[in-house]
């Protein structure tokens, strides 16, 4: 456990060294937040209560999306690029022989990365948005705690998805195509473009049942007080089941890949 805590701390420090990139990313998130928020304002002026949100909740959803964009890696670009490269070059063989679990190693590092981005690129855009828009901020500390737990589960789901993407490079030798598909799915089905409650009919049901809804839609609904009581428990169960299932799938795929490396090495 101490090893993985050190890896998580290392992941936090690693991303904290890129101060200029963090400032630039925060500025970009804030600019896009204003653009999308004003677009939502025009849309909700024409269609009040669209998707079950009032204007204040809709605009808050926008800023939550910008705050969690990098935290939950909804558009990819995290550890998976490095892991794919290590698989492509064969350096992964060294990792597999180390006295540390490959999946837990990368998960710990990604948790450190997510915490940094939540603090470094999450708070500032929300603060900027609150200066201009009437955001629906929780009044109870318990809601904040419930929100942070939903975010943590969303980060684990995101990691598990991207871990599977990275492991595909064992068979494809280049995971760029799979990573691109995952990036598009994460952008569309997380709620980053539009809240999933706006998706019509069967498309909406499917979108809300997919794991990407754990990245933004569920944490946002918890933040906005739309998930309480047993509904909140159900939301956590949904995220936890997807996280567990995807992590197990990653573990199985990792085992198959390890055997392949051992056979080829022998």
């Amino acid at each position: 456990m101490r090893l993985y805590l050190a890896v998580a701390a290392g992941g936090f420090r690693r991303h904290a060294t890129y101060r200029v990139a963090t400032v630039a990313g925060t500025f970009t998130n804030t600019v896009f937040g204003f653009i999308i928020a004003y677009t939502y304002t025009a849309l909700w002026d024409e269609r009040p209560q669209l998707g079950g949100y009032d204007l204040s909740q809709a605009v808050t959803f926008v800023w939550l999306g910008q705050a969690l964009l990098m935290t939950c890696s909804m558009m990819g670009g995290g550890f998976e690029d490095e892991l794919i490269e290590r698989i492509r070059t064969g350096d992964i063989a060294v990792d597999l022989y180390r006295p540390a679990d490959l999946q837990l190693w990368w998960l710990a590092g990604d948790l450190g990365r997510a915490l940094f981005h939540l603090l470094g690129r999450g708070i500032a855009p929300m603060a900027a948005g609150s200066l201009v828009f009437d955001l629906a901020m929780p009044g109870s500390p318990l809601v904040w705690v419930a929100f942070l737990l939903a975010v943590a589960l969303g980060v684990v789901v995101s990691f598990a998805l991207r871990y599977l993407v990275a492991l595909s490079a064992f068979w494809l030798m280049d995971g760029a195509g799979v990573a691109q598909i995952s990036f598009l799915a994460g952008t569309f089905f997380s709620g980053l473009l539009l809240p999933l409650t706006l998706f019509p009919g069967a498309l909406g049901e499917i979108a809300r049942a997919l794991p990407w809804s754990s990245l933004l839609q569920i944490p946002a609904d918890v933040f906005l007080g739309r998930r309480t009581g047993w509904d909140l428990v159900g939301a956590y169960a949904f995220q936890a089941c997807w996280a567990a299932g995807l992590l197990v799938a990653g573990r199985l795929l990792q085992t198959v890949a390890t055997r392949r490396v051992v056979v080829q090495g022998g």
Side-chain angles (χ1 to χ4, degrees):
M1 177 61 71
R2 187 174 302 174
L3 169 64
Y4 300 112
L5 288 175
V7 173
F12 185 97
R13 289 195 302 269
R14 177 182 179 183
H15 287 83
T17 58
Y18 301 104
R19 297 182 181 87
V20 175
T22 299
V23 173
T26 301
F27 176 77
T28 302
N29 288 145
T30 303
V31 170
F32 273 98
F34 278 111
I35 293 173
I36 301 172
Y38 280 117
T39 303
Y40 271 44
T41 299
L43 179 58
W44 258 259
D45 282 343
E46 293 295 324
R47 297 284 302 276
Q49 299 299 320
L50 185 62
Y53 300 101
D54 59 29
L55 177 58
S56 178
Q57 291 174 324
V59 173
T60 303
F61 194 102
V62 171
W63 290 105
L64 285 171
Q66 295 305 306
L68 298 180
L69 176 62
M70 288 299 295
T71 302
C72 293
S73 288
M74 284 176 267
M75 299 177 68
F79 76 93
E80 65 272 22
D81 294 337
E82 181 180 351
L83 182 52
I84 287 172
E85 181 62 18
R86 294 189 66 81
I87 294 172
R88 189 186 67 80
T89 60
D91 292 339
I92 191 65
V94 177
D95 300 336
L96 292 172
Y97 282 107
R98 286 174 177 165
D101 184 84
L102 185 70
Q103 188 182 54
L104 290 177
W105 177 281
W106 288 101
L107 173 58
D110 198 57
L111 291 175
R113 174 209 59 81
L115 178 59
F116 171 76
H117 283 304
L118 180 63
L119 300 175
R121 292 182 59 170
I123 295 176
M126 285 290 292
S130 67
L131 296 175
V132 179
F133 299 95
D134 179 23
L135 301 187
M137 306 296 282
S140 170
L142 293 178
V143 177
W144 284 97
V145 173
F147 166 70
L148 291 176
L149 179 55
V151 171
L153 289 170
V155 169
V156 177
V157 172
S158 173
F159 165 81
L161 286 166
R162 290 176 290 125
Y163 191 70
L164 288 172
V165 168
L167 291 184
S168 69
F170 275 108
W171 290 268
L172 302 178
M173 296 306 298
D174 185 357
V178 178
Q180 185 68 15
I181 294 173
S182 178
F183 150 69
L184 293 173
T187 303
F188 189 75
F189 290 115
S190 65
L192 185 62
L193 297 180
L194 282 172
L196 300 183
T197 54
L198 271 65
F199 288 19
L203 177 60
E205 294 295 329
I206 294 172
R208 290 187 289 273
L210 291 174
W212 291 280
S213 64
S214 298
L215 278 56
L216 173 57
Q217 184 67 53
I218 289 179
D221 281 341
V222 172
F223 187 90
L224 295 171
R226 293 167 59 91
R227 298 272 192 168
T228 58
W230 286 110
D231 195 28
L232 177 60
V233 174
Y236 288 153
F238 175 86
Q239 290 180 295
C241 286
W242 268 118
L246 292 168
L247 287 173
V248 169
R251 176 72 60 179
L252 293 174
L253 203 61
Q254 174 185 314
T255 301
V256 174
T258 302
R259 290 176 179 173
R260 182 181 181 186
V261 171
V262 170
V263 170
Q264 290 180 344

